[in-house]
Amino acid sequence: NKPEKLAYQILLQAGYLVEKPRRTKWLPQDFFYCWDFIAVNNEHIRFIQVSTQYFSSRPKEYQERLKNFPKPPNTTKEYWRYNKKSKSFVIQLL
């Protein structure tokens, strides 16, 4: 989808190596059922979920899955909400 493609390009331009899950009929759509991207550089790992919905409007089970995902040192868990009006992302750290 368009917001994911835009987020992917933003991360690449920021110097990250970005991996996205392989999309098939039999495999989950996200890494660990949570993340659209894992972005890595020499200092940091970012777990990123991209959406057009507010995090608070997502089902509680979904919110808990992202919040409870492990957060090792030098990592962030990020929810990128695409704002269609401003054509930009609002990034929420989880």
Side-chain angles (χ1 to χ4, degrees), residues 11 16-19 37-41 44-48:
L11 291 162
Y16 285 88
L17 297 173
V18 185
E19 185 69 20
F37 304 115
I38 298 176
V40 180
N41 68 14
H44 194 226
I45 299 172
R46 299 168 76 176
F47 297 101
I48 299 169

Side-chain angles (χ1 to χ4, degrees), residues 50-68:
V50 178
S51 181
T52 57
Q53 297 179 23
Y54 285 89
F55 185 72
S56 60
S57 69
R58 303 301 294 259
K60 289 290 181 191
E61 178 184 284
Y62 174 89
Q63 293 179 40
E64 291 301 315
R65 187 169 54 247
L66 270 60
K67 286 180 181 177
N68 292 330

